[in-house]
mmCIF file of all heavy atoms in Angstrom:
data_model
loop_
_atom_site.group_PDB
_atom_site.id
_atom_site.type_symbol
_atom_site.label_atom_id
_atom_site.label_comp_id
_atom_site.label_asym_id
_atom_site.label_seq_id
_atom_site.Cartn_x
_atom_site.Cartn_y
_atom_site.Cartn_z
ATOM 1 N N VAL A 78 -61.892 -18.905 66.794
ATOM 2 C CA VAL A 78 -61.119 -19.655 67.747
ATOM 3 C C VAL A 78 -62.036 -19.990 68.954
ATOM 4 O O VAL A 78 -62.781 -19.151 69.393
ATOM 5 C CB VAL A 78 -59.921 -18.807 68.264
ATOM 6 C CG1 VAL A 78 -59.013 -19.631 69.194
ATOM 7 C CG2 VAL A 78 -59.090 -18.286 67.105
ATOM 8 N N SER A 79 -61.913 -21.225 69.417
ATOM 9 C CA SER A 79 -62.692 -21.669 70.576
ATOM 10 C C SER A 79 -61.728 -22.126 71.695
ATOM 11 O O SER A 79 -60.638 -22.584 71.454
ATOM 12 C CB SER A 79 -63.612 -22.809 70.209
ATOM 13 O OG SER A 79 -64.491 -22.402 69.200
ATOM 14 N N ARG A 80 -62.221 -22.005 72.902
ATOM 15 C CA ARG A 80 -61.448 -22.444 74.109
ATOM 16 C C ARG A 80 -60.939 -23.871 73.851
ATOM 17 O O ARG A 80 -61.676 -24.725 73.369
ATOM 18 C CB ARG A 80 -62.373 -22.420 75.312
ATOM 19 C CG ARG A 80 -61.626 -22.767 76.586
ATOM 20 C CD ARG A 80 -62.536 -22.558 77.791
ATOM 21 N NE ARG A 80 -61.778 -22.708 79.022
ATOM 22 C CZ ARG A 80 -61.052 -21.773 79.616
ATOM 23 N NH1 ARG A 80 -61.016 -20.574 79.097
ATOM 24 N NH2 ARG A 80 -60.392 -22.018 80.700
ATOM 25 N N SER A 81 -59.687 -24.083 74.201
ATOM 26 C CA SER A 81 -59.052 -25.403 73.908
ATOM 27 C C SER A 81 -58.045 -25.712 74.986
ATOM 28 O O SER A 81 -57.389 -24.836 75.558
ATOM 29 C CB SER A 81 -58.311 -25.323 72.597
ATOM 30 O OG SER A 81 -59.183 -24.943 71.530
ATOM 31 N N ASP A 82 -57.873 -26.986 75.256
ATOM 32 C CA ASP A 82 -56.731 -27.490 76.036
ATOM 33 C C ASP A 82 -55.631 -27.803 75.037
ATOM 34 O O ASP A 82 -55.862 -28.473 74.033
ATOM 35 C CB ASP A 82 -57.161 -28.737 76.823
ATOM 36 C CG ASP A 82 -58.190 -28.444 77.895
ATOM 37 O OD1 ASP A 82 -58.095 -27.378 78.518
ATOM 38 O OD2 ASP A 82 -59.069 -29.268 78.087
ATOM 39 N N LEU A 83 -54.431 -27.362 75.390
ATOM 40 C CA LEU A 83 -53.315 -27.491 74.451
ATOM 41 C C LEU A 83 -52.324 -28.555 74.961
ATOM 42 O O LEU A 83 -52.048 -28.675 76.173
ATOM 43 C CB LEU A 83 -52.635 -26.142 74.263
ATOM 44 C CG LEU A 83 -53.483 -25.018 73.757
ATOM 45 C CD1 LEU A 83 -52.692 -23.747 73.631
ATOM 46 C CD2 LEU A 83 -54.149 -25.394 72.453
ATOM 47 N N ASN A 84 -51.668 -29.192 74.021
ATOM 48 C CA ASN A 84 -50.597 -30.160 74.265
ATOM 49 C C ASN A 84 -49.307 -29.590 73.692
ATOM 50 O O ASN A 84 -49.347 -28.855 72.720
ATOM 51 C CB ASN A 84 -50.906 -31.507 73.608
ATOM 52 C CG ASN A 84 -52.172 -32.066 74.161
ATOM 53 O OD1 ASN A 84 -52.307 -32.320 75.344
ATOM 54 N ND2 ASN A 84 -53.161 -32.301 73.294
ATOM 55 N N GLY A 85 -48.176 -29.974 74.291
ATOM 56 C CA GLY A 85 -46.919 -29.591 73.751
ATOM 57 C C GLY A 85 -46.542 -30.353 72.519
ATOM 58 O O GLY A 85 -46.899 -31.530 72.362
ATOM 59 N N ARG A 86 -45.889 -29.733 71.612
ATOM 60 C CA ARG A 86 -45.406 -30.321 70.410
ATOM 61 C C ARG A 86 -44.277 -29.443 69.863
ATOM 62 O O ARG A 86 -44.000 -28.367 70.337
ATOM 63 C CB ARG A 86 -46.507 -30.404 69.337
ATOM 64 C CG ARG A 86 -47.725 -31.212 69.690
ATOM 65 C CD ARG A 86 -47.898 -32.361 68.746
ATOM 66 N NE ARG A 86 -49.006 -33.280 68.928
ATOM 67 C CZ ARG A 86 -49.938 -33.349 69.800
ATOM 68 N NH1 ARG A 86 -50.011 -32.474 70.743
ATOM 69 N NH2 ARG A 86 -50.857 -34.275 69.794
ATOM 70 N N THR A 87 -43.721 -29.851 68.748
ATOM 71 C CA THR A 87 -42.842 -28.972 68.014
ATOM 72 C C THR A 87 -43.674 -28.213 67.003
ATOM 73 O O THR A 87 -44.490 -28.781 66.248
ATOM 74 C CB THR A 87 -41.746 -29.792 67.293
ATOM 75 O OG1 THR A 87 -40.947 -30.418 68.272
ATOM 76 C CG2 THR A 87 -40.856 -28.887 66.425
ATOM 77 N N VAL A 88 -43.506 -26.892 66.990
ATOM 78 C CA VAL A 88 -44.261 -26.060 66.044
ATOM 79 C C VAL A 88 -43.269 -25.243 65.233
ATOM 80 O O VAL A 88 -42.158 -24.974 65.643
ATOM 81 C CB VAL A 88 -45.265 -25.115 66.748
ATOM 82 C CG1 VAL A 88 -46.365 -25.892 67.450
ATOM 83 C CG2 VAL A 88 -44.562 -24.158 67.709
ATOM 84 N N ASP A 89 -43.725 -24.840 64.072
ATOM 85 C CA ASP A 89 -42.907 -24.071 63.144
ATOM 86 C C ASP A 89 -43.191 -22.567 63.378
ATOM 87 O O ASP A 89 -44.364 -22.206 63.501
ATOM 88 C CB ASP A 89 -43.252 -24.460 61.699
ATOM 89 C CG ASP A 89 -42.279 -23.923 60.691
ATOM 90 O OD1 ASP A 89 -41.545 -22.985 60.995
ATOM 91 O OD2 ASP A 89 -42.262 -24.470 59.588
ATOM 92 N N SER A 90 -42.182 -21.779 63.441
ATOM 93 C CA SER A 90 -42.348 -20.325 63.568
ATOM 94 C C SER A 90 -42.615 -19.690 62.183
ATOM 95 O O SER A 90 -42.967 -18.525 62.102
ATOM 96 C CB SER A 90 -41.142 -19.664 64.193
ATOM 97 O OG SER A 90 -40.050 -19.689 63.277
ATOM 98 N N PHE A 91 -42.412 -20.491 61.134
ATOM 99 C CA PHE A 91 -42.481 -19.995 59.752
ATOM 100 C C PHE A 91 -41.529 -18.827 59.594
ATOM 101 O O PHE A 91 -41.729 -17.961 58.708
ATOM 102 C CB PHE A 91 -43.948 -19.647 59.406
ATOM 103 C CG PHE A 91 -44.844 -20.838 59.478
ATOM 104 C CD1 PHE A 91 -45.525 -21.151 60.641
ATOM 105 C CD2 PHE A 91 -44.958 -21.644 58.364
ATOM 106 C CE1 PHE A 91 -46.345 -22.227 60.727
ATOM 107 C CE2 PHE A 91 -45.813 -22.813 58.462
ATOM 108 C CZ PHE A 91 -46.480 -23.086 59.627
ATOM 109 N N ASN A 92 -40.493 -18.796 60.390
ATOM 110 C CA ASN A 92 -39.471 -17.714 60.363
ATOM 111 C C ASN A 92 -40.103 -16.343 60.538
ATOM 112 O O ASN A 92 -39.666 -15.374 59.939
ATOM 113 C CB ASN A 92 -38.603 -17.802 59.133
ATOM 114 C CG ASN A 92 -37.210 -17.212 59.429
ATOM 115 O OD1 ASN A 92 -36.718 -17.301 60.556
ATOM 116 N ND2 ASN A 92 -36.594 -16.664 58.408
ATOM 117 N N ASP A 93 -41.176 -16.266 61.336
ATOM 118 C CA ASP A 93 -41.966 -15.072 61.512
ATOM 119 C C ASP A 93 -41.962 -14.725 63.004
ATOM 120 O O ASP A 93 -42.454 -15.507 63.825
ATOM 121 C CB ASP A 93 -43.397 -15.315 60.996
ATOM 122 C CG ASP A 93 -44.272 -14.053 61.006
ATOM 123 O OD1 ASP A 93 -44.162 -13.262 61.975
ATOM 124 O OD2 ASP A 93 -45.076 -13.943 60.082
ATOM 125 N N HIS A 94 -41.406 -13.575 63.351
ATOM 126 C CA HIS A 94 -41.313 -13.184 64.770
ATOM 127 C C HIS A 94 -42.587 -13.165 65.511
ATOM 128 O O HIS A 94 -42.661 -13.606 66.664
ATOM 129 C CB HIS A 94 -40.537 -11.848 64.856
ATOM 130 C CG HIS A 94 -41.239 -10.697 64.165
ATOM 131 N ND1 HIS A 94 -41.576 -9.549 64.811
ATOM 132 C CD2 HIS A 94 -41.598 -10.557 62.871
ATOM 133 C CE1 HIS A 94 -42.157 -8.716 63.960
ATOM 134 N NE2 HIS A 94 -42.174 -9.309 62.750
ATOM 135 N N ARG A 95 -43.681 -12.716 64.895
ATOM 136 C CA ARG A 95 -44.986 -12.662 65.601
ATOM 137 C C ARG A 95 -45.514 -14.056 65.809
ATOM 138 O O ARG A 95 -46.187 -14.338 66.849
ATOM 139 C CB ARG A 95 -45.933 -11.777 64.832
ATOM 140 C CG ARG A 95 -45.518 -10.337 64.889
ATOM 141 C CD ARG A 95 -46.592 -9.424 64.377
ATOM 142 N NE ARG A 95 -46.080 -8.064 64.144
ATOM 143 C CZ ARG A 95 -45.995 -7.120 65.079
ATOM 144 N NH1 ARG A 95 -46.345 -7.378 66.294
ATOM 145 N NH2 ARG A 95 -45.495 -5.944 64.720
ATOM 146 N N ILE A 96 -45.310 -15.005 64.902
ATOM 147 C CA ILE A 96 -45.783 -16.367 65.052
ATOM 148 C C ILE A 96 -44.981 -17.020 66.184
ATOM 149 O O ILE A 96 -45.543 -17.723 67.039
ATOM 150 C CB ILE A 96 -45.641 -17.164 63.754
ATOM 151 C CG1 ILE A 96 -46.453 -16.467 62.608
ATOM 152 C CG2 ILE A 96 -46.064 -18.606 63.979
ATOM 153 C CD1 ILE A 96 -47.909 -16.282 62.894
ATOM 154 N N ALA A 97 -43.692 -16.796 66.216
ATOM 155 C CA ALA A 97 -42.846 -17.363 67.270
ATOM 156 C C ALA A 97 -43.239 -16.859 68.639
ATOM 157 O O ALA A 97 -43.367 -17.656 69.614
ATOM 158 C CB ALA A 97 -41.372 -17.066 67.001
#
Side-chain angles (χ1 to χ4, degrees):
V78 184
S79 299
R80 184 174 187 85
S81 304
D82 292 323
L83 303 179
N84 298 301
R86 299 241 179 359
T87 296
V88 296
D89 193 341
S90 71
F91 299 91
N92 208 30
D93 186 323
H94 59 125
R95 293 191 191 274
I96 303 302

